[in-house]
Amino acid sequence: MLHDLRIAVRQLLRQPGLTVALIATLALGIGATTAIFSLINTVLLEPLPYPNPDRLVRIWGRFTQPDIPRLRASEKELLDYQTNFGSFAAVAGYVYRDSNLTAGDQPERVRVYYVTHQLWPVLGVQPVIGRTFGAEDDTPGASPVAVISYGLWRRRFGGDPSILGKDIQVNLTPRAVIGVMPEGFNFPDKADIWSPFGLDPANMPPRQERYLEVVARLVPGVSIDQAKADLRAQTTQWPKWWLGVYPDDSGWDIDVLSMLEQEVGDVRPALFILLGAVGFVLLITCANVGSMLLVRVESRSREILVRSALGAGRGQLVRQFILESVLLALAGGTIGLLAASWAIRAVVLRFPAAIPRATGVGLDGRVVAFAFGVTFVTALFVSLLPAWRGARPNLSQSLKEVAASTMGGTRQLSQRLLVVFQIALAIALLTGAGLMIGSFFRLKSETVGFNPENVLSMQISLPRARYPDAGPQIAGFFSDLHRRLTNERGIAAAGVVSHLPLGGTNFTATIVAEGRPTTAGTSQPEPGLRSVTPGYFSAMRIPVKKGRTFTESDDSQAPMVAILDQRLAENLWPGKEPINRRVRLGPPDAEEGTFPWRTVVGIVGDVRDGGPTALPSTEGNVYFPEPQQPDRTVFLVVRSASGDPEKLIGTVRAAVRAI
């Protein structure tokens, strides 16, 4: 074997150009396959980093009419889950709130989650220093405390263990740090700080105010299906117990999902499509390498004849060719593994938000084993036909072919079959790629109703402690910010909006139009609601079709006004002039004066909140002046006058801090 191995190395070194081409081709196919498998391994196959992760579930309400598959829970519903169902060892709720951290000279935007104390027994994770909060900390009136992430601890406090007991300012409210979670723990969704929710059974909002996400740990031995059946057995009675909260025709239901399935369900099909695509690439690679090796075998006919004449048997010749293929595949696989590692890092850095659990993607023992398994299978695959052709014992026929310097008919057929196989795979792959590229360009050509190019967006949350007045104080801040930004060089337009298009959030309400019937059986639209400042439509390049946009004079003391998009205006008053007509929010039978009437002053273009594949909603959107519908947490959008909008980050931050 060692003798054959030395011969194989010498044979490969005799043709360095061909050898390098073969190794590079194999590295491409094996590297691409390994990179995608690494993503699948981490995202789909690796268990969640918690004790007994198979018992972790998410609980969702749902309405089937209309189809709303995932409803958050209200505080009262969460309390029911915690106290009335024996399938769960612990049930926790949490909510994300926009927050600013003040520690030292530089304020920082942080992700703060207010969680019930049951989160820690649900997940079973212990802090690296300090403690988590318990029931005594999670009550109304308790001293405010916080648990911080390892990343925040290292980034802002240098890993100082004396941080325990010190106060940090979260939205200008002091909270004592009592613990630091281990490195890599950031549930849910890149959390920086965890604070007690303070659930108060004696003072809860209405049951239909659903804003809490729910996670639970199953009792040992209870399956997800059993837990779902347990929940449904009681929750199906809720529509009878609380009339109006769960309408009879809504199809109220409960769903229980594995936490892993919840995290990766949306990306699973895309990963398997990618794995299939790189599988085709690997097959094409094998056919390509097999063709080159077959040509190489044909060029070695004299050598094979001499070796056969000197007594080399078929088995020895087959082993020789397989050894050469294995050496090539090992070199290609090693380079492919290194390339896969680089490609994985590049993908994760480029698309960090698109891949769940992306921070854990990398090369581990399973991925390395997969890579070398693919390498050896590839080596065997590409060596079979060349080994069979090179090891045939028909010496007389071979001598005639060599003497004539031509390739035999059988050999020509073998090469033609490889070429046909390679072309067939390439056509299948290119057809699929062509369809996907065509779809991509069609999506690119679809307008979403605004132009995001050269636009910078950032979120601003004004702390309640400093801006207690929800009206003039907030309006004054944003009015001042707008004036500062529009006077800055390099800024073409700037504005504020309560939530961004395509941002995954959309608040809706029933709208009643003046002159539109409100009799029983007549459905009323439920458009999306947005508060905006002057400059928003210009910054987002949303066209104004009729009338005007908002101005500084549309403040809290001015008459109430609104702007509608085209689809909503046509739905409310088909074929009629909408400008100067009036609309109001709220149910049609609301008492006069409960909800103020607003005069329509402008019509703007439609925005596709569902993305480029979705049609503009027939419900449409209605916009209000921010001073007349104030919100402490908003998004600022700034359009660059020239080039990269990220160059404006420092300018915008300085303007905000100056105010």
Side-chain angles (χ1 to χ4, degrees):
M1 180 68 74
L2 290 174
H3 175 70
D4 289 343
L5 192 60
R6 286 194 295 270
I7 294 174
V9 172
R10 285 200 301 269
Q11 290 291 347
L12 293 176
L13 293 177
R14 283 179 182 174
Q15 296 176 296
L18 178 61
T19 300
V20 169
L22 290 168
I23 291 174
T25 305
L26 288 167
L28 172 66
I30 295 172
T33 308
T34 302
I36 299 303
F37 176 79
S38 178
L39 290 174
I40 290 177
N41 174 58
T42 302
V43 175
L44 303 182
L45 303 182
E46 284 289 332
L48 295 171
Y50 311 115
N52 302 309
D54 56 310
R55 296 213 298 267
L56 294 176
V57 296
R58 302 289 298 273
I59 303 175
W60 297 96
R62 60 175 301 195
F63 288 134
T64 59
Q65 299 295 331
D67 185 22
I68 305 176
R70 292 178 183 173
L71 283 169
R72 293 180 173 86
S74 64
E75 294 182 24
K76 293 183 177 180
E77 290 172 340
L78 173 64
L79 192 61
D80 284 338
Y81 297 148
Q82 291 176 334
T83 56
N84 296 331
F85 299 97
S87 298
F88 304 108
V91 180
Y94 60 87
V95 62
Y96 167 74
R97 289 179 183 159
D98 306 292
S99 302
N100 306 310
L101 171 66
T102 307
D105 296 332
Q106 181 66 40
E108 181 180 349
R109 188 93 176 143
V110 290
R111 300 185 67 84
V112 178
Y113 282 88
Y114 291 84
V115 306
T116 63
H117 67 277
Q118 293 90 346
L119 180 70
W120 313 116
V122 166
L123 299 180
V125 179
Q126 298 299 319
V128 290
I129 61 171
R131 65 178 180 89
T132 57
F133 46 82
E136 68 280 2
D137 303 301
D138 193 20
T139 57
S143 298
V145 297
V147 175
I148 65 176
S149 70
Y150 187 90
L152 182 64
W153 180 48
R154 299 289 298 181
R155 183 176 71 249
R156 291 301 301 264
F157 308 105
D160 182 6
S162 65
I163 186 65
L164 296 181
K166 293 184 178 178
D167 284 346
I168 58 174
Q169 298 281 332
V170 180
N171 281 349
L172 300 182
T173 300
R175 293 185 175 273
V177 177
I178 60 172
V180 177
M181 297 308 292
E183 186 175 7
F185 177 82
N186 55 13
F187 180 90
D189 194 20
K190 302 177 182 177
D192 293 309
I193 299 174
W194 298 265
S195 286
F197 181 82
L199 196 68
D200 184 3
N203 186 25
M204 289 186 173
R207 179 170 283 268
Q208 56 267 43
E209 289 190 19
R210 302 180 178 92
Y211 58 89
L212 291 170
E213 296 196 40
V214 180
V215 60
R217 179 172 287 273
L218 297 174
V219 170
V222 174
S223 69
I224 291 178
D225 289 339
Q226 289 173 322
K228 188 183 298 186
D230 182 27
L231 278 174
R232 284 176 171 171
Q234 291 193 43
T235 58
T236 51
Q237 303 299 314
W238 287 2
K240 299 178 182 178
W241 297 344
W242 292 286
L243 301 176
V245 178
Y246 313 94
D248 291 337
D249 59 352
S250 65
W252 164 255
D253 196 6
I254 289 287
D255 202 3
V256 180
L257 296 176
S258 159
M259 186 184 288
L260 179 60
E261 182 64 28
Q262 172 82 44
E263 286 194 20
V264 305
D266 293 340
V267 79
R268 185 189 300 271
L271 287 179
F272 281 116
I273 288 172
L274 283 176
L275 185 63
V278 297
F280 268 99
V281 172
L282 183 59
L283 287 173
I284 294 172
T285 298
C286 291
N288 201 359
V289 172
S291 295
M292 288 190 282
L293 288 177
L294 189 57
V295 171
R296 188 168 175 271
V297 166
E298 303 299 348
S299 69
R300 296 167 59 186
S301 298
R302 290 181 183 275
E303 172 208 333
I304 295 168
L305 289 175
V306 172
R307 295 185 66 191
S308 298
L310 292 176
R314 175 185 284 267
Q316 290 176 290
L317 294 174
V318 168
R319 184 174 64 194
Q320 183 67 54
F321 290 118
I322 290 178
L323 272 176
E324 292 177 17
S325 298
V326 168
L327 287 175
L328 286 170
L330 279 174
T334 303
I335 296 173
L337 196 60
L338 296 175
S341 175
W342 173 84
I344 291 165
R345 287 196 297 270
V347 169
V348 170
L349 288 173
R350 180 65 181 84
F351 307 105
I355 305 172
R357 311 176 69 191
T359 54
V361 176
L363 301 182
D364 59 13
R366 184 186 293 171
V367 175
V368 173
F370 172 85
F372 280 100
V374 169
T375 296
F376 281 106
V377 170
T378 301
L380 292 175
F381 188 89
V382 302
S383 65
L384 287 179
L385 186 56
W388 175 75
R389 295 296 301 128
R392 75 168 200 256
N394 190 344
L395 299 182
S396 61
Q397 179 65 26
S398 296
L399 286 170
K400 294 177 183 177
E401 292 175 2
V402 171
S405 298
T406 59
M407 186 182 296
T410 307
R411 298 186 180 188
Q412 290 185 22
L413 178 61
S414 300
Q415 284 223 283
R416 288 171 180 167
L417 288 175
L418 271 176
V419 171
V420 169
F421 178 65
Q422 184 176 354
I423 291 175
L425 289 173
I427 288 174
L429 182 64
L430 288 173
T431 300
L435 291 171
M436 293 183 71
I437 291 171
S439 298
F440 174 75
F441 280 107
R442 282 195 296 274
L443 289 177
K444 288 274 287 182
S445 65
E446 290 284 350
T447 176
V448 290
F450 62 94
N451 182 1
E453 292 184 10
N454 296 330
V455 174
L456 176 74
S457 69
M458 55 179 68
Q459 198 173 23
I460 299 177
S461 182
L462 300 180
R464 189 179 297 272
R466 182 164 294 173
Y467 295 88
D469 185 350
Q473 278 190 322
I474 294 176
F477 176 93
F478 292 125
S479 178
D480 191 359
L481 180 61
H482 182 262
R483 282 193 297 270
R484 289 172 182 264
L485 292 179
T486 52
N487 289 329
E488 289 284 350
R489 176 185 294 181
I491 295 178
V496 161
V497 61
S498 53
H499 54 282
L500 291 170
L502 307 181
T505 301
N506 197 23
F507 300 103
T508 63
T510 302
I511 190 169
V512 176
E514 188 176 45
R516 178 186 171 94
T518 58
T519 56
T522 303
S523 62
Q524 303 298 322
E526 293 189 13
L529 311 178
R530 282 187 169 85
S531 300
V532 302
T533 62
Y536 170 73
F537 297 111
S538 176
M540 296 291 278
R541 295 291 191 264
I542 299 174
V544 179
K545 303 295 185 177
K546 289 183 179 180
R548 65 174 177 88
T549 59
F550 300 132
T551 65
E552 294 286 349
S553 62
D554 293 314
D555 57 22
S556 58
Q557 305 303 315
M560 306 288 272
V561 293
I563 292 175
L564 313 183
D565 65 16
Q566 280 184 299
R567 294 181 70 88
L568 179 60
E570 291 170 2
N571 188 8
L572 295 177
W573 303 289
K576 298 180 180 179
E577 174 58 51
I579 301 298
N580 292 326
R581 293 182 181 270
R582 297 194 304 168
V583 295
R584 67 168 175 82
L585 303 180
D589 55 355
E591 293 184 13
E592 187 66 29
T594 306
F595 299 94
W597 287 97
R598 298 171 180 268
T599 302
V600 177
V601 296
I603 305 297
V604 296
D606 301 320
V607 173
R608 300 190 183 188
D609 284 304
T613 60
L615 291 174
S617 170
T618 55
E619 307 294 325
N621 287 286
V622 56
Y623 301 88
F624 305 127
E626 205 282 333
Q628 296 182 2
Q629 196 81 11
D631 196 335
R632 287 187 178 83
T633 300
V634 297
F635 287 89
L636 174 67
V637 290
V638 178
R639 176 169 291 277
S640 171
S642 58
D644 184 5
E646 292 189 6
K647 294 179 180 178
L648 300 174
I649 290 176
T651 300
V652 177
R653 278 184 170 154
V656 172
R657 292 187 65 188
I659 306 173

